Amino acid sequence: MDRYCVFGNPIAHSKSPEIHAAYAAQTGQQLSYERRLAPVDGFAQAVREFIAEGGKGANVTLPFKLDAHKLADALTMRAQAAGAVNTLVFGPDGIIGDNTDGAGLVADIVRNAGVPIAGKRVLMLGAGGAARGAVLPILEERPAALVIANRTVATAEALVQQFAALAGEGVLSSSGFESLQGSFDIVINATSASLNAALPPIPAAVFHQGTLALDMMYGKEPTVFMHFAAEHGATVRDGLGMLIEQAAEAFYGWRGVRPDTSALLVQMRSKL
Ligand code: ATR
């Protein structure tokens, strides 16, 4: 049986084994998928051990996404753009590093929420790892505008510089939170502020009636960002759909079969 795993530290909380077991059952793929706790300074060694045991691929979560980027012998374009790796494929050509987080986000917005990104005004809050991974997949959908707003504006501006050549003229720009102008069709919270129940200080006018507001975080209760957005007319969504979709994209990369995600999203929501 082909073996896969997820590396992280801590790892006990990871939902990936449950998600991939569901995909394997649904698509009739014979595989096993386990959690692996890697020492904080021992990621490469842990990966090599898993490969020696016959591992075919792995997901990578905190704090190893940069280590995985360094370890890979080759990177997909989206992993290069993200500067981080969440999916590894072990094959005859060595270790391939991919990043499916941004594709998962886009799939959740376009397919699950039914909101096309093409031609829309998109606001991304945050300019850290989570935001960087989403920029290229969003730009590939051809939004009318993508504004990256961050507490530290220089970090947002650095992202704009990195991706400027890939965006159409005037599409990509940076901003601080308070100085945001106008309203947006899609607002994505890629800051880690929700972890501390904090809200980036954005004007309520970034939302209009029917704006899709998505927080990459998820939990049993809506985040402060989701409460704020809903109070100002937005339709809100958390990051559970993105989690399930990034896993589907990794599963597709390993097995060549795309699982259906809709039933699993409902099932996992009910268990939060
Ligand atoms: P991740 O991998 O989750 O993106 P990260 O790379 O540490 O984590 O980035 C965290 C992001 O959340 C950054 O954009 C950070 O803003 P700064 O660049 O100014 O540090 C943002 N962030 C964290 N806490 C925040 C808060 N309380 N309010 C607003 N932004 C916050």
Side-chain angles (χ1 to χ4, degrees):
M1 194 152 22
D2 286 347
R3 292 179 63 181
Y4 298 86
C5 75
V6 56
F7 290 103
N9 190 334
I11 198 60
H13 66 286
S14 172
K15 297 192 191 308
S16 292
E18 185 186 342
I19 296 172
H20 284 282
Y23 290 161
Q26 183 205 105
T27 58
Q29 295 281 309
Q30 298 292 314
L31 58 87
S32 71
Y33 189 108
E34 63 194 91
R35 290 184 184 87
R36 287 253 170 152
L37 179 73
V40 172
D41 58 356
F43 174 72
Q45 173 71 12
V47 170
R48 296 221 163 82
E49 281 169 15
F50 187 60
I51 294 172
E53 291 167 28
K56 292 277 191 273
N59 285 127
V60 181
T61 187
L62 296 178
F64 299 124
K65 290 185 183 186
L66 297 179
D67 296 85
H69 183 266
K70 267 195 224 120
L71 180 69
D73 299 306
L75 295 167
T76 61
M77 220 175 86
R78 59 194 185 184
Q80 278 175 45
V85 159
N86 79 331
T87 302
L88 295 169
V89 184
F90 310 133
D93 301 330
I95 302 175
I96 313 292
D98 191 11
N99 191 312
T100 65
D101 286 328
L105 172 72
V106 166
D108 189 52
I109 293 172
V110 176
R111 283 210 298 271
N112 299 343
V115 176
I117 295 173
K120 300 288 179 59
R121 279 175 53 76
V122 182
L123 171 61
M124 173 101 74
L125 307 174
R132 189 169 56 230
V135 175
L136 180 63
I138 291 173
L139 287 176
E140 283 174 347
E141 297 292 307
R142 301 263 160 246
L146 173 58
V147 178
I148 303 174
N150 198 39
R151 182 171 63 182
T152 313
V153 183
T155 317
E157 185 49 32
L159 273 193
V160 168
Q161 295 306 324
Q162 181 188 340
F163 290 98
L166 298 169
E169 184 73 31
V171 169
L172 193 57
S173 60
S174 65
S175 175
F177 291 134
E178 285 95 345
S179 55
L180 279 164
Q181 301 280 328
S183 71
F184 293 83
D185 305 302
I186 301 170
V187 180
I188 300 158
N189 185 13
T191 71
S192 48
S194 299
L195 284 175
N196 307 313
L199 181 67
I202 49 173
V206 301
F207 303 107
H208 56 64
Q209 203 62 38
T211 292
L212 175 67
L214 185 151
D215 199 324
M216 288 192 184
M217 302 286 158
Y218 65 87
K220 198 173 170 55
E221 302 299 333
T223 65
V224 279
F225 168 76
M226 290 164 69
H227 277 299
F228 181 69
E231 276 164 21
H232 295 94
T235 302
V236 296
R237 202 166 174 83
D238 70 6
L240 189 63
M242 176 182 172
L243 173 77
I244 286 168
E245 294 296 342
Q246 64 74 29
E249 190 71 21
F251 190 91
Y252 177 70
W254 294 327
R255 312 300 298 181
V257 185
R258 198 171 282 286
D260 178 62
T261 54
S262 48
L264 185 63
L265 183 51
V266 173
Q267 188 192 325
M268 293 201 51
R269 169 80 56 209
S270 71
K271 287 198 284 187
L272 280 181

